PDB file of all heavy atoms in Angstrom:
ATOM      1  N   LYS A  88       2.155   4.322  15.504  1.00  0.00           N
ATOM      2  CA  LYS A  88       1.573   5.621  15.848  1.00  0.00           C
ATOM      3  C   LYS A  88       2.671   6.668  16.048  1.00  0.00           C
ATOM      4  O   LYS A  88       2.601   7.771  15.482  1.00  0.00           O
ATOM      5  CB  LYS A  88       0.738   5.493  17.124  1.00  0.00           C
ATOM      6  CG  LYS A  88       0.194   6.820  17.641  1.00  0.00           C
ATOM      7  CD  LYS A  88      -0.538   6.632  18.967  1.00  0.00           C
ATOM      8  CE  LYS A  88      -1.016   7.963  19.533  1.00  0.00           C
ATOM      9  NZ  LYS A  88      -1.711   7.785  20.847  1.00  0.00           N
ATOM     10  N   VAL A  89       3.694   6.320  16.826  1.00  0.00           N
ATOM     11  CA  VAL A  89       4.769   7.272  17.120  1.00  0.00           C
ATOM     12  C   VAL A  89       5.503   7.651  15.840  1.00  0.00           C
ATOM     13  O   VAL A  89       5.756   8.829  15.572  1.00  0.00           O
ATOM     14  CB  VAL A  89       5.743   6.680  18.155  1.00  0.00           C
ATOM     15  CG1 VAL A  89       6.913   7.636  18.385  1.00  0.00           C
ATOM     16  CG2 VAL A  89       5.025   6.411  19.471  1.00  0.00           C
ATOM     17  N   PHE A  90       5.845   6.656  15.021  1.00  0.00           N
ATOM     18  CA  PHE A  90       6.591   6.934  13.802  1.00  0.00           C
ATOM     19  C   PHE A  90       5.724   7.682  12.788  1.00  0.00           C
ATOM     20  O   PHE A  90       6.224   8.508  12.028  1.00  0.00           O
ATOM     21  CB  PHE A  90       7.127   5.644  13.198  1.00  0.00           C
ATOM     22  CG  PHE A  90       8.179   4.959  14.049  1.00  0.00           C
ATOM     23  CD1 PHE A  90       8.572   5.486  15.269  1.00  0.00           C
ATOM     24  CD2 PHE A  90       8.772   3.792  13.632  1.00  0.00           C
ATOM     25  CE1 PHE A  90       9.532   4.862  16.061  1.00  0.00           C
ATOM     26  CE2 PHE A  90       9.732   3.150  14.399  1.00  0.00           C
ATOM     27  CZ  PHE A  90      10.112   3.691  15.619  1.00  0.00           C
ATOM     28  N   GLY A  91       4.426   7.411  12.808  1.00  0.00           N
ATOM     29  CA  GLY A  91       3.511   8.159  11.942  1.00  0.00           C
ATOM     30  C   GLY A  91       3.441   9.618  12.334  1.00  0.00           C
ATOM     31  O   GLY A  91       3.381  10.508  11.465  1.00  0.00           O
ATOM     32  N   VAL A  92       3.457   9.892  13.632  1.00  0.00           N
ATOM     33  CA  VAL A  92       3.465  11.278  14.109  1.00  0.00           C
ATOM     34  C   VAL A  92       4.749  11.972  13.666  1.00  0.00           C
ATOM     35  O   VAL A  92       4.725  13.117  13.198  1.00  0.00           O
ATOM     36  CB  VAL A  92       3.314  11.326  15.644  1.00  0.00           C
ATOM     37  CG1 VAL A  92       3.649  12.716  16.189  1.00  0.00           C
ATOM     38  CG2 VAL A  92       1.901  10.933  16.045  1.00  0.00           C
ATOM     39  N   ILE A  93       5.880  11.293  13.790  1.00  0.00           N
ATOM     40  CA  ILE A  93       7.162  11.876  13.366  1.00  0.00           C
ATOM     41  C   ILE A  93       7.136  12.165  11.865  1.00  0.00           C
ATOM     42  O   ILE A  93       7.540  13.241  11.420  1.00  0.00           O
ATOM     43  CB  ILE A  93       8.318  10.924  13.728  1.00  0.00           C
ATOM     44  CG1 ILE A  93       8.508  10.880  15.243  1.00  0.00           C
ATOM     45  CG2 ILE A  93       9.619  11.354  13.037  1.00  0.00           C
ATOM     46  CD1 ILE A  93       9.464   9.810  15.722  1.00  0.00           C
ATOM     47  N   GLU A  94       6.642  11.213  11.088  1.00  0.00           N
ATOM     48  CA  GLU A  94       6.595  11.385   9.637  1.00  0.00           C
ATOM     49  C   GLU A  94       5.711  12.565   9.236  1.00  0.00           C
ATOM     50  O   GLU A  94       6.025  13.295   8.286  1.00  0.00           O
ATOM     51  CB  GLU A  94       6.080  10.106   8.990  1.00  0.00           C
ATOM     52  CG  GLU A  94       6.140  10.092   7.473  1.00  0.00           C
ATOM     53  CD  GLU A  94       5.809   8.728   6.902  1.00  0.00           C
ATOM     54  OE1 GLU A  94       4.760   8.163   7.292  1.00  0.00           O
ATOM     55  OE2 GLU A  94       6.586   8.220   6.085  1.00  0.00           O
ATOM     56  N   ALA A  95       4.611  12.763   9.963  1.00  0.00           N
ATOM     57  CA  ALA A  95       3.656  13.817   9.621  1.00  0.00           C
ATOM     58  C   ALA A  95       3.901  15.118  10.376  1.00  0.00           C
ATOM     59  O   ALA A  95       3.163  16.075  10.192  1.00  0.00           O
ATOM     60  CB  ALA A  95       2.235  13.322   9.902  1.00  0.00           C
ATOM     61  N   LEU A  96       4.929  15.159  11.211  1.00  0.00           N
ATOM     62  CA  LEU A  96       5.193  16.343  12.023  1.00  0.00           C
ATOM     63  C   LEU A  96       5.300  17.581  11.142  1.00  0.00           C
ATOM     64  O   LEU A  96       5.856  17.529  10.045  1.00  0.00           O
ATOM     65  CB  LEU A  96       6.497  16.141  12.797  1.00  0.00           C
ATOM     66  CG  LEU A  96       6.615  16.831  14.158  1.00  0.00           C
ATOM     67  CD1 LEU A  96       5.631  16.237  15.159  1.00  0.00           C
ATOM     68  CD2 LEU A  96       8.036  16.693  14.688  1.00  0.00           C
ATOM     69  N   ALA A  97       4.782  18.691  11.619  1.00  0.00           N
ATOM     70  CA  ALA A  97       4.803  19.927  10.829  1.00  0.00           C
ATOM     71  C   ALA A  97       6.218  20.447  10.620  1.00  0.00           C
ATOM     72  O   ALA A  97       6.460  21.234   9.710  1.00  0.00           O
ATOM     73  CB  ALA A  97       3.945  20.991  11.503  1.00  0.00           C
ATOM     74  N   LYS A  98       7.155  19.996  11.433  1.00  0.00           N
ATOM     75  CA  LYS A  98       8.532  20.458  11.340  1.00  0.00           C
ATOM     76  C   LYS A  98       9.429  19.356  10.775  1.00  0.00           C
ATOM     77  O   LYS A  98       9.167  18.175  10.989  1.00  0.00           O
ATOM     78  CB  LYS A  98       9.033  20.893  12.730  1.00  0.00           C
ATOM     79  CG  LYS A  98       8.193  22.026  13.304  1.00  0.00           C
ATOM     80  CD  LYS A  98       8.537  22.374  14.735  1.00  0.00           C
ATOM     81  CE  LYS A  98       7.631  23.497  15.240  1.00  0.00           C
ATOM     82  NZ  LYS A  98       7.916  23.885  16.629  1.00  0.00           N
ATOM     83  N   PRO A  99      10.488  19.736  10.047  1.00  0.00           N
ATOM     84  CA  PRO A  99      11.374  18.715   9.481  1.00  0.00           C
ATOM     85  C   PRO A  99      12.140  17.968  10.562  1.00  0.00           C
ATOM     86  O   PRO A  99      12.556  18.557  11.565  1.00  0.00           O
ATOM     87  CB  PRO A  99      12.315  19.523   8.583  1.00  0.00           C
ATOM     88  CG  PRO A  99      12.260  20.906   9.107  1.00  0.00           C
ATOM     89  CD  PRO A  99      10.886  21.096   9.668  1.00  0.00           C
ATOM     90  N   VAL A 100      12.311  16.679  10.349  1.00  0.00           N
ATOM     91  CA  VAL A 100      13.016  15.819  11.296  1.00  0.00           C
ATOM     92  C   VAL A 100      14.149  15.117  10.553  1.00  0.00           C
ATOM     93  O   VAL A 100      13.922  14.434   9.549  1.00  0.00           O
ATOM     94  CB  VAL A 100      12.076  14.774  11.927  1.00  0.00           C
ATOM     95  CG1 VAL A 100      12.823  13.961  12.985  1.00  0.00           C
ATOM     96  CG2 VAL A 100      10.846  15.441  12.537  1.00  0.00           C
ATOM     97  N   ILE A 101      15.364  15.286  11.049  1.00  0.00           N
ATOM     98  CA  ILE A 101      16.556  14.700  10.443  1.00  0.00           C
ATOM     99  C   ILE A 101      17.063  13.589  11.347  1.00  0.00           C
ATOM    100  O   ILE A 101      17.252  13.790  12.552  1.00  0.00           O
ATOM    101  CB  ILE A 101      17.659  15.751  10.264  1.00  0.00           C
ATOM    102  CG1 ILE A 101      17.164  16.926   9.419  1.00  0.00           C
ATOM    103  CG2 ILE A 101      18.917  15.138   9.654  1.00  0.00           C
ATOM    104  CD1 ILE A 101      18.108  18.128   9.445  1.00  0.00           C
ATOM    105  N   ALA A 102      17.306  12.405  10.780  1.00  0.00           N
ATOM    106  CA  ALA A 102      17.926  11.318  11.537  1.00  0.00           C
ATOM    107  C   ALA A 102      19.433  11.414  11.378  1.00  0.00           C
ATOM    108  O   ALA A 102      19.945  11.433  10.258  1.00  0.00           O
ATOM    109  CB  ALA A 102      17.434   9.969  11.042  1.00  0.00           C
ATOM    110  N   ALA A 103      20.156  11.500  12.489  1.00  0.00           N
ATOM    111  CA  ALA A 103      21.620  11.452  12.490  1.00  0.00           C
ATOM    112  C   ALA A 103      22.008  10.075  13.011  1.00  0.00           C
ATOM    113  O   ALA A 103      22.000   9.828  14.222  1.00  0.00           O
ATOM    114  CB  ALA A 103      22.199  12.560  13.365  1.00  0.00           C
ATOM    115  N   VAL A 104      22.314   9.171  12.086  1.00  0.00           N
ATOM    116  CA  VAL A 104      22.453   7.749  12.417  1.00  0.00           C
ATOM    117  C   VAL A 104      23.895   7.441  12.775  1.00  0.00           C
ATOM    118  O   VAL A 104      24.776   7.410  11.925  1.00  0.00           O
ATOM    119  CB  VAL A 104      21.979   6.870  11.245  1.00  0.00           C
ATOM    120  CG1 VAL A 104      22.111   5.394  11.614  1.00  0.00           C
ATOM    121  CG2 VAL A 104      20.541   7.208  10.877  1.00  0.00           C
ATOM    122  N   ASN A 105      24.113   7.199  14.049  1.00  0.00           N
ATOM    123  CA  ASN A 105      25.438   6.926  14.594  1.00  0.00           C
ATOM    124  C   ASN A 105      25.503   5.463  15.046  1.00  0.00           C
ATOM    125  O   ASN A 105      25.106   5.125  16.142  1.00  0.00           O
ATOM    126  CB  ASN A 105      25.702   7.845  15.794  1.00  0.00           C
ATOM    127  CG  ASN A 105      24.582   7.768  16.824  1.00  0.00           C
ATOM    128  OD1 ASN A 105      23.405   7.816  16.473  1.00  0.00           O
ATOM    129  ND2 ASN A 105      24.927   7.646  18.098  1.00  0.00           N
TER     130      ASN A 105
END
Side-chain angles (χ1 to χ4, degrees):
K88 175 184 177 181
V89 176
F90 294 1
V92 167
I93 290 171
E94 187 172 51
L96 210 67
K98 300 173 181 180
V100 184
I101 303 168
V104 181
N105 53 314

